[in-house]
Amino acid sequence: MTTLLVTGGAGFIGSNFARWVLDHTDAGVTVLDALTYAGNRANLDGLDPARLNFVHGSIADPALLDDLVADHDVVVHFAAESHNDNSLDGPAIFVETNIVGTYHVLQAVRQHGKRLHHISTDEVYGDLELDDPAKFTRTTPYNPSSPYSASKAASDHLVRAWVRSFGVQATLSNCSNNYGPRQHIEKFIPRQITNVIDGIRPKLYGAGLNVRDWIHVDDHNSALWRIIEAGRIGETYLIGADGEKNNREIVELILELMGQPTDAYDHVNDRAGHDLRYAIDAAPLRDELAWSPQYSDIVDGLRSTIDWYRTNEDWWRGAKQATEAKYAAKGQ
Ligand code: NAD
Ligand code: TDX
């Protein structure tokens, strides 16, 4: 049985990845997670304890990493500070976790000669103009805008340097915006869904014309598994599902699916340095690794995501008031 060490596996994508792996493969998973405000032990509830082990700890702890990496076949590295808005308010932890933390992961896999898959974001490429037909590809130059995306860009560079200089056996992926169950309610889609449930009008930054390339989290995770299975060492795979929509379209869709008038939203202060548009060309992933997404229509994915937040109010209720108070203080 292949054993995976999944850093950040109690967060949104990592916990859905652990579920996906247990459902679709016979691998065993150990989650290493520091349980920051974004991590939640309950995200792993119901998973078979014979195949899923949880370790509460940090990638900032080299001795712990050393022990755990020695005992596993593959490290799948999700752990990060992940929210752009938070990186504008307090960038230091983004440097610590995303850059220095990735350094510790790299040193551990180097020490033990283990395979690594590093999870990153399309935001490392900066943004595209709204009227530009281009998409991001493997050869798009790095040009990050926010402290978050700059810290992820730095972590990608470290991984490539460890591959080239030290022969570390790593692959990388840069994915577009994920949506689905268990995403923290600070993020755009779950914030608006839980706002509508609470009778609060959705909040659009600026004019709401910024474009994101949405992918269901299960499609991201099936792509990650293909790369872990068959990806070429040292290669970068861009993951996306041709899901471009502007923020206003997404809010209108959420309102419609939740039975509200589609103009029942507010415009609020824009994000500083707000990237205009992201779009992924995932042709190499589709062609080389024969991957394709299961969610071809965002409406179906959004409907099931809305159902999940309606059914799992206990999961998000505790964080709602503080999350909204933080945004309100910034006029957002
Ligand atoms: P998240 O914030 O929901 O989860 C991050 C997890 O990492 C949390 O469980 C947190 O407790 C854990 N963590 C933070 N610091 C840690 C530390 N020092 N040691 C161990 N664990 C720690 O984030 P997410 O949206 O699930 O993103 C996961 C990864 O995917 C990140 O690397 C992110 O950059 C990347 N990514 C996210 C998206 C997206 O749309 N959400 C898109 C592309 C890439
Ligand atoms: O209330 C809001 N209103 C709004 O208009 C919020 C929270 C966001 N927005 C806008 C900002 C973005 O244009 O919605 C878009 C999506 O915002 P986020 O959910 O914060 O995502 P984004 O900044 O695009 O980054 C996400 O995708 C790439 C993830 O958070 C990152 O971890 C990932 O790397």
Side-chain angles (χ1 to χ4, degrees), residues 82 84 121 123 148 177 191 203 205 212 247 271 274:
S82 67
N84 276 297
T121 169
E123 299 192 14
Y148 163 69
N177 284 61
R191 182 183 183 204
K203 310 292 179 207
Y205 291 176
R212 296 295 182 264
N247 295 336
R271 173 184 285 171
H274 197 174

Side-chain angles (χ1 to χ4, degrees), residues 98-159:
N98 300 359
I99 306 178
V100 182
T102 298
Y103 159 76
H104 290 308
V105 170
L106 284 165
Q107 286 292 77
V109 294
R110 177 187 174 198
Q111 170 73 22
H112 295 285
K114 296 296 170 84
R115 169 90 164 81
L116 169 69
H117 182 71
H118 173 67
I119 284 100
S120 191
T121 169
D122 59 358
E123 299 192 14
V124 299
Y125 300 113
D127 60 355
L128 300 159
E129 294 297 328
L130 294 179
D131 58 359
D132 181 352
K135 297 185 174 202
F136 297 136
T137 70
R138 279 171 178 163
T139 56
T140 304
Y142 274 42
N143 186 27
S145 311
S146 72
Y148 163 69
S149 48
S151 69
K152 293 297 293 188
S155 72
D156 294 5
H157 290 318
L158 291 180
V159 176

Side-chain angles (χ1 to χ4, degrees), residues 254-261 310:
I254 291 171
L255 285 164
E256 187 186 325
L257 290 169
M258 297 184 77
Q260 302 294 315
R310 278 189 167 135

Side-chain angles (χ1 to χ4, degrees), residues 213-255:
D213 189 355
W214 293 99
I215 182 172
H216 192 278
V217 65
D218 290 342
D219 284 333
H220 183 183
N221 285 329
S222 67
L224 292 177
W225 185 255
R226 279 300 294 146
I227 298 165
I228 291 164
E229 272 183 329
R232 281 182 287 132
I233 297 303
E235 190 56 270
T236 294
Y237 295 88
L238 272 65
I239 307 174
D242 298 320
E244 281 186 73
K245 287 257 183 279
N246 75 34
N247 295 336
R248 197 192 288 176
E249 290 170 318
I250 294 286
V251 159
E252 288 173 355
L253 207 46
I254 291 171
L255 285 164

